[in-house]
């Protein structure tokens, strides 16, 4: 991401920081609880899933050392970060049409800021939930935390890549944003969030493997619950590869359309 | 991931040490017709594949322009002529479709004052984001903050959320920010039109100072006054092309004349000849009957008379003023202040010449040199077009001070 005569060295960071701050302000300005709402929503979802799947459907986990809540929590927060980042970043260009029409600046910073803000909020929630679970006596392997964070990094890159494409498309095609809701619902169940991958029948697993998010959430569980950080790191590579390819394409795609956002806004 | 200029920097010229701040050669811009979803999709597909647009609206074509350090260029034209698109291309917000564009030096574009402000933030917080948008780093903003606050001059409001501001305050803050960037070229689009009178004067004063300091200005305005005051050159953009480019005064006159002709053409009763005839004008001006500079003794009668031309055949408003040689206005009035309507000249076949006369008995101007000015305005008295002047010398001996003798008595 280069800078040019208009955004001198260093100011790209100032601008990005400003956009992230503004993103927070847009979400929580005037609320009493502020960022706490970001923690409350997934926590409530977690409570609902725990009730439905443990007490109604009586799901039995292969590894009885961990509660259902812990298994779901490991995947739910990264998923929330990914989904929210993509959904919010998709409208990052169209929602800031006034800015783009009047000022020259690297437009992708808007998209990046939306992704950053979502990940910052939900990573905080994730760490808070891990702390609470540990206090409740869940035997979480904290030596797996660096690998879990690396998986978060891959999720971030995936989200940014997807968001660059959807945000650029959204400028010309308004159907992108409404289509994301149903798509994400589909992906939510196609990703092992409410269930560990081990519960999926063998025959279906190769199909699930095409979903890069599978390779993000499963390594997090392997690292934090399985206690095998090295195996988790090894399992991360398909997602990392997908994220790199996607990012390269997304960067080209966004740059191609960036000059013409004006014409559609 | 940034907007690329379409052309590399121009080759350095032998006779000129410094390249122009901006150089546009044959620049054109088309916008995709994107009114329906289907057309948007077609335009998008063309852009992704790098093909020409299937259907386009031509906003600009064949624009050539150079602005060098220290130059001031005005941009005029009717609404929709393409002025804003041109400014956006120069500012780098819009990529030109055809032609080449080269920029050198630091550009600052004020296409809208307060663009990038967030209503929930305080003025101070907004300064940082807006300045970052203008390309300043945090450290630079911090050093310039006192100057920005001083120029904006909105007092304690600076720590209030922006939604509590009046629109005038937002504009003050926006312009204050622009002043702190110290660009080589400042591009502004009608930003002077929004502020109040004192703010406008402050901005004009700042711009004059900036120009005197070697800054370059590209000013888009509907105020011919501002164009003539601030710009040496002017560019008239009409229907996406340059119509006239030259000395500011000449271009604005032509522009006003064109408007007059257009307005006259729109009036149902006006003849085509009137439309072609041009502007309201003072055709003759006489002092005490003589069409020349006059001398009279203090206390004598002064009779100012003349004829005014009205292209639309409706009685014009005539303004008359007496000005001391230093520039102080002694007295001024217009015909419509006294509900006086100039009479048509009886022998004028067109009916477009009108006579006016003003008698000032026993004029008590103190001895000295004065100027008598007459202006022709349109029938509504809205627009002032022409000025005729005569020198008036008042003779006599008096040790009184000031410009005129007031009726007085010592007791």
């Amino acid at each position: 991401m280069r800078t040019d005569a208009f955004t001198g060295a260093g100011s790209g960071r100032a601008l990005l920081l400003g956009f992230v701050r503004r993103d927070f302000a847009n979400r929580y300005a005037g609320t009493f609880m502020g960022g706490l709402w970001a923690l409350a929503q997934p926590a409530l979802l977690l409570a609902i899933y725990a009730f439905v799947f443990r007490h109604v459907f009586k799901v039995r986990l292969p590894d009885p050392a961990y509660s259902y809540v812990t298994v779901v929590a490991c995947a739910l927060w990264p998923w929330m970060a990914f989904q929210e980042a993509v959904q919010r970043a998709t409208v990052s260009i169209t929602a800031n049409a006034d800015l783009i029409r009047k000022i020259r600046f690297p437009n992708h910073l808007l998209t990046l800021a939306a992704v950053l803000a979502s990940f910052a909020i939900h990573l905080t929630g994730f760490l808070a939930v891990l702390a609470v679970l540990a206090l409740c006596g869940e035997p979480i392997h904290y030596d797996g935390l660096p690998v879990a964070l690396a998986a978060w990094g891959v999720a971030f890159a995936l989200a940014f890549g997807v968001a660059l494409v959807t945000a650029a498309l959204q400028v010309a095609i308004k159907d992108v944003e409404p289509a994301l809701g149903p798509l994400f619902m589909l992906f939510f169940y196609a990703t092992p969030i409410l269930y560990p991958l081990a519960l999926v029948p063998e025959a279906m697993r190769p199909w699930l493997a095409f979903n890069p998010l599978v390779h993000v959430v499963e390594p997090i569980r392997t690292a934090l619950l399985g206690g095998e950080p090295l195996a988790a790191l090894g399992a991360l590579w398909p997602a990392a590869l997908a994220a790199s390819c996607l990012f390269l394409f997304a960067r080209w795609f966004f740059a191609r359309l960036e000059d013409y956002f004006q014409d559609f806004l | 991931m940034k907007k690329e200029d379409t052309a590399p920097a121009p080759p350095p010229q032998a006779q000129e040490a410094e390249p122009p701040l901006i150089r546009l050669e044959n620049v054109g811009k088309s916008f995709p017709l994107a009114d329906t979803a289907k057309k948007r999709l077609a335009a998008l597909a063309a852009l992704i594949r790098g093909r020409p647009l299937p259907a386009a609206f031509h906003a600009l074509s064949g624009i050539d322009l150079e602005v060098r350090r220290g130059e001031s260029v005005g941009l005029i034209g009717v609404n929709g002529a393409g002025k804003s698109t041109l400014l956006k291309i120069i500012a780098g917000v819009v990529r030109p479709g055809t032609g080449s564009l080269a920029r050198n030096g630091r550009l600052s574009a004020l296409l809208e004052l307060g663009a990038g402000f967030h209503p929930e933030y305080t003025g101070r917080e907004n300064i940082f984001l807006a300045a970052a948008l203008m390309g300043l780093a945090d450290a630079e903003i911090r050093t310039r903050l006192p100057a920005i606050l001083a120029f904006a001059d909105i007092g304690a409001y600076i720590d209030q959320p922006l939604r509590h501001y009046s629109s005038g305050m937002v504009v003050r803050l926006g312009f204050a920010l622009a002043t702190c960037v110290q660009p080589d070229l400042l591009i502004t689009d009608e930003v002077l039109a929004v502020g109040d009178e004192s703010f406008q004067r402050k901005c004009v004063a700042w711009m004059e100072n900036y120009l005197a300091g070697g800054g370059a200005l590209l000013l888009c305005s509907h105020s011919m006054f501002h164009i003539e005051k601030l710009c040496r050159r002017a560019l008239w953009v009409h229907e996406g092309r340059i119509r006239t480019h030259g000395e500011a005064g000449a271009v604005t006159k032509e522009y006003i004349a064109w408007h007059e002709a257009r307005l006259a053409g729109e009036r149902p009763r006006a003849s085509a000849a009137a439309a072609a005839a041009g502007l309201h004008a003072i055709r003759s001006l006489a002092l005490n009957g003589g069409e020349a500079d006059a001398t009279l003794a203090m206390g004598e009668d002064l009779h100012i008379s003349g004829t005014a031309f009205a292209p639309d055949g409706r009685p014009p408003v005539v303004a008359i003023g007496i000005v001391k040689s230093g520039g102080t206005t002694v007295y001024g009035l217009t015909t419509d202040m006294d509900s006086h309507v100039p009479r048509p000249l009886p022998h004028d076949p067109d009916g477009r010449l009108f006579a006016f006369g003003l008698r000032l008995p026993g004029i008590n101007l103190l001895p000295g040199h004065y100027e008598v000015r007459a202006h022709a305005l349109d029938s509504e008295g809205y627009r002032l077009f022409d000025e005729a002047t005569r020198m008036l010398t008042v003779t006599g001996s008096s040790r009184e001070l000031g410009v005129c003798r007031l009726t007085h008595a010592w007791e």
Side-chain angles (χ1 to χ4, degrees):
Chain A
M1 319 263 166
R2 290 178 295 161
T3 54
D4 62 2
F6 285 80
T7 48
S11 67
R13 211 180 49 205
L15 190 54
L16 179 62
L17 225 76
F19 283 148
V20 172
R21 265 186 255 147
R22 205 166 72 137
D23 196 277
F24 280 120
N26 278 335
R27 294 180 196 214
Y28 303 119
T31 62
F32 283 116
M33 291 192 19
L36 283 181
W37 285 115
L39 303 184
Q41 200 217 352
L44 187 64
L45 271 179
L46 183 61
I48 293 168
Y49 293 140
F51 171 75
V52 171
F53 290 94
R54 271 200 68 191
H55 298 289
V56 180
F57 292 151
K58 306 213 184 324
V59 172
R60 298 177 68 88
L61 294 176
D63 182 359
Y66 295 96
S67 73
Y68 181 74
V69 167
T70 308
V71 171
V72 174
C74 282
L76 186 60
W77 265 266
W79 167 264
M80 290 293 288
F82 180 82
Q83 176 183 357
E84 196 186 289
V86 171
Q87 285 189 313
R88 295 191 75 106
T90 297
V91 293
S92 60
I93 302 298
T94 44
N96 289 290
D98 284 348
L99 220 54
I100 286 166
R101 271 200 294 258
K102 299 290 180 188
I103 303 174
R104 174 193 168 100
F105 65 95
N107 293 169
H108 69 269
L109 291 181
L110 285 171
T111 310
L112 181 56
V115 176
L116 263 177
S118 298
F119 269 78
I121 288 170
H122 290 294
L123 181 58
T124 310
F126 180 71
L127 296 174
V129 164
L130 283 189
V132 169
L133 289 173
L135 285 177
C136 296
E138 287 289 304
I140 292 164
H141 296 272
Y142 287 98
D143 54 343
L145 209 52
V147 177
L149 290 179
W152 272 82
V154 172
F156 178 89
L158 276 172
F160 186 35
V162 173
L164 279 177
V165 174
T166 54
L169 281 177
Q170 172 71 11
V171 174
I173 309 171
K174 305 287 179 221
D175 303 64
V176 173
E177 198 255 339
L180 284 180
L183 269 176
F184 270 120
M185 202 172 69
L186 207 72
F187 261 86
F188 179 73
Y189 290 101
T191 308
I193 297 165
L194 298 178
Y195 50 89
L197 193 60
L199 283 189
V200 178
E202 284 285 353
M204 288 173 70
R205 281 188 211 169
W207 294 105
L208 275 190
F210 283 108
N211 175 1
L213 284 172
V214 172
H215 307 286
V216 172
V217 297
E218 276 300 308
I220 292 182
R221 282 182 182 142
T222 311
L224 292 177
L225 309 184
E228 297 170 64
L230 285 179
L233 197 59
L236 204 54
W237 73 264
L241 186 70
S244 309
C245 295
L246 175 65
F247 181 71
L248 286 178
F249 167 76
R251 216 169 75 135
W252 168 83
F253 189 81
F254 191 90
R256 182 110 195 177
L257 291 180
E258 188 179 20
D259 286 324
Y260 303 98
F261 286 165
Q262 234 345 283
D263 305 2
F264 291 95
L265 287 172
Chain B
M1 298 232 261
K2 62 148 226 169
K3 302 181 179 200
E4 298 280 350
D5 295 344
T6 46
Q13 293 184 345
Q15 66 272 43
E16 280 147 352
E18 198 176 15
L21 294 171
I22 50 161
R23 173 186 286 162
L24 284 79
E25 273 168 27
N26 197 28
V27 161
K29 174 71 190 173
S30 305
F31 288 106
L33 287 174
D35 46 340
T36 63
K38 205 176 156 190
K39 282 184 192 166
R40 293 172 85 93
L41 199 62
L44 181 73
L47 290 177
I48 292 174
R49 288 183 300 165
R51 301 265 173 82
L53 292 166
F57 162 74
H58 300 282
L60 279 179
S61 54
I63 303 286
D64 295 309
L65 175 66
E66 267 188 24
V67 179
R68 293 180 174 277
R69 207 171 282 280
E71 281 190 316
S72 50
V73 181
L75 193 58
I76 56 178
V78 295
N79 296 331
K83 303 185 297 292
S84 291
T85 303
L86 180 56
L87 286 188
K88 284 178 178 180
I89 286 176
I90 295 169
V93 178
V94 168
R95 183 199 176 108
T98 56
S100 71
L101 163 64
R103 301 191 198 89
N104 297 288
R106 186 166 200 159
L107 273 73
S108 175
L110 272 182
L111 301 182
E112 185 183 291
L113 285 180
F117 283 175
H118 191 285
E120 290 293 338
Y121 279 5
T122 67
R124 198 184 295 273
E125 288 165 336
N126 266 302
I127 287 176
F128 280 88
L129 181 60
L133 274 167
M134 298 171 91
L136 292 183
D138 263 4
E140 287 178 283
I141 304 165
R142 251 178 268 282
T143 53
R144 292 173 198 184
L145 194 60
I148 298 172
L149 297 184
F151 195 96
D153 192 21
I154 55 173
Y157 270 97
I158 194 70
D159 290 312
Q160 290 282 315
L162 216 68
R163 61 195 152 88
H164 293 170
Y165 282 33
S166 72
S167 54
M169 288 175 166
V170 174
V171 163
R172 277 166 179 271
L173 197 59
F175 198 86
L177 260 168
T179 61
C180 83
V181 180
Q182 293 155 346
D184 296 317
L185 173 64
L186 178 68
I187 301 166
T188 68
D189 190 358
E190 272 304 335
V191 294
L192 291 173
V194 276
D196 61 18
E197 184 67 26
S198 65
F199 171 75
Q200 284 198 8
R201 284 190 198 184
K202 199 169 179 175
C203 292
V204 170
W206 181 86
M207 284 190 189
E208 282 179 324
N209 192 25
Y210 161 79
L211 287 172
L217 178 69
L218 189 56
L219 173 78
C220 175
S221 179
H222 287 294
S223 159
M224 295 306 121
F225 170 74
H226 285 145
I227 296 280
E228 287 183 28
K229 189 165 171 60
L230 291 167
C231 303
R232 226 170 294 161
R233 279 195 289 143
L235 192 72
W236 175 9
V237 178
H238 188 66
E239 290 172 359
R241 293 179 165 277
I242 294 178
R243 179 149 169 159
T244 316
H245 184 184
E247 191 267 319
V251 177
T252 53
K253 275 201 184 64
E254 193 182 331
Y255 179 65
I256 293 172
W258 178 83
H259 267 283
E260 263 319 290
R262 201 172 71 142
L263 283 173
E266 281 169 7
R267 275 192 206 103
R269 285 187 296 115
S271 65
L279 299 173
H280 288 74
I282 298 291
R283 286 287 162 85
S284 68
L285 178 63
L287 301 182
N288 287 346
E291 287 213 30
D293 298 342
T295 302
L296 57 84
M298 185 174 172
E300 284 185 350
D301 294 351
L302 175 62
H303 183 241
I304 303 165
S305 58
T307 51
F309 170 77
D312 54 6
R314 298 185 303 148
V317 168
V318 175
I320 290 179
I322 298 177
V323 180
K324 181 102 168 107
S325 54
T328 316
T329 305
V330 178
Y331 185 64
L333 79 171
T334 66
T335 51
D336 63 344
M337 283 177 192
D338 295 328
S339 304
H340 175 76
V341 178
R343 310 177 310 276
L345 275 191
H347 304 301
D348 177 37
D350 276 357
R352 294 187 292 170
L353 286 175
F354 295 82
F356 61 88
L358 179 69
R359 187 172 298 282
L360 299 158
I363 192 160
N364 267 336
L365 292 172
L366 295 181
H369 297 287
Y370 298 86
E371 205 176 274
V372 175
R373 294 179 182 170
H375 303 278
L377 287 79
D378 62 2
S379 312
E380 288 76 28
Y382 289 156
R383 289 185 302 267
L384 187 150
F385 294 104
D386 194 26
E387 179 184 87
T389 58
R390 295 271 179 256
M391 293 305 295
L392 172 69
T393 307
V394 177
T395 59
S397 60
S398 163
R399 291 169 58 206
E400 288 150 290
L401 306 174
V403 288
C404 68
R405 175 180 293 161
L406 301 181
T407 311
H408 62 274
W410 292 103
E411 286 179 343

